[in-house]
């Protein structure tokens, strides 16, 4: 069995602060417990090309140099999550960019204090999640499968 047609894909990056602060398991656990399915997972170090592709829209901002240094300061973990409404649900679990304003219960609200070092990237629905997934994963690095809890997570009507 493969991914359901109603399931979306979204890209998550566990940033260097998440790796260094030993929060990788905690962060992945939160997505898994919600009911999101991991269909791609890898550790990598961002080079200049990938950093520019991902954060190039901020290249002229005063914080870009610091953001680039931070994002390249240790390996990151890239994850593709899949699920019904996965893009929106993932952003809600992550919380607001300014971690000091993020609501408790979100990843940033529970574990972060900073705007730059905010633990996680999650695709913005406005910024083409499919393109972000392609930036980090080849098609053959992604998996299509049905999780055994899928029919418990969604009422049949919600899947039409
Ligand atoms: P989000 O990651 O919540 O989608 P943005 O797309 O606005 O947020 O910004 C991308 C990332 O760039 C943020 O997560 C943060 O790490 C960094 N960033 C954005 N704005 C600032 C800023 N003013 N100062 C430092 N870092 C910033």
């Amino acid at each position: 069995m493969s991914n359901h047609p109603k399931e979306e894909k979204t890209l998550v990056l566990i940033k260097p602060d998440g790796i260094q602060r030993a929060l990788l398991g905690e962060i992945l656990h939160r997505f898994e417990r919600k009911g999101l399915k991991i269909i791609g997972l890898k550790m990598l170090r961002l080079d200049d090309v990938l950093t520019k592709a991902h954060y190039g829209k901020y290249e002229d901002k005063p914080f870009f140099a610091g953001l680039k240094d931070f994002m390249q300061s240790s390996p990151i973990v890239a994850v593709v999550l899949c699920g019904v409404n996965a893009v929106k649900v993932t952003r809600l679990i992550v919380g607001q960019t300014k971690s000091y304003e993020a609501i408790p219960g979100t990843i940033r609200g529970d574990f972060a204090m900073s705007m730059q070092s905010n633990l996680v990237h999650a695709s913005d629905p406005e910024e083409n999640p499919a393109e972000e997934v392609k930036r980090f994963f080849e098609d053959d690095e992604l998996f299509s499968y049905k999780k055994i809890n899928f029919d418990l997570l969604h009422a049949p009507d919600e899947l039409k």
Side-chain angles (χ1 to χ4, degrees):
M1 291 288 268
S2 48
N3 298 334
H4 191 279
K6 287 274 276 188
E7 289 186 302
E8 302 169 350
K9 297 182 184 73
T10 192
L11 177 80
V12 163
L13 303 177
I14 318 302
K15 298 183 181 186
D17 52 338
I19 304 299
Q20 294 292 354
R21 293 179 55 205
L23 289 169
L24 176 61
E26 169 73 41
I27 290 168
L28 291 179
H29 192 200
R30 287 180 173 224
F31 295 125
E32 285 191 294
R33 280 186 311 188
K34 178 70 172 174
L36 292 158
K37 177 172 65 178
I38 295 172
I39 62 164
L41 186 73
K42 65 167 83 162
M43 185 172 239
L44 70 151
R45 199 180 266 276
L46 279 190
D47 60 14
D48 288 350
V49 174
L50 210 42
T51 305
K52 195 171 168 185
H54 196 66
Y55 284 133
K57 68 175 179 172
Y58 297 125
E59 210 171 8
D60 297 333
K61 298 279 184 196
F63 63 82
F64 181 75
L67 177 62
K68 181 173 166 225
D69 283 351
F70 162 64
M71 287 301 296
Q72 296 184 350
S73 64
S74 83
I76 61 168
V77 167
V79 186
V80 180
L81 297 176
C82 182
V84 179
N85 298 313
V87 177
K88 185 177 184 185
V89 168
T90 301
R91 296 272 294 182
L92 284 171
I93 293 171
V94 169
Q96 286 167 278
T97 310
K98 294 175 181 168
S99 301
Y100 47 86
E101 290 178 358
I103 296 166
T106 63
I107 293 168
R108 289 169 173 168
D110 284 352
F111 299 113
M113 299 283 275
S114 159
M115 182 156 182
Q116 176 191 268
S117 304
N118 55 13
L119 295 170
V120 186
H121 165 82
S123 296
D124 185 326
E126 308 292 314
E127 290 185 25
N128 202 339
E131 201 175 291
E132 287 206 340
V133 168
K134 272 189 195 309
R135 189 176 297 151
F136 286 86
F137 290 85
E138 302 293 336
D139 286 347
D140 65 4
E141 293 176 313
L142 297 177
F143 294 83
S144 184
Y145 63 104
K146 183 177 179 182
K147 281 286 288 290
I148 55 168
N149 59 3
F150 186 79
D151 295 325
L152 291 170
L153 286 169
H154 308 285
D157 280 2
E158 294 165 354
L159 296 172
K160 283 180 187 155

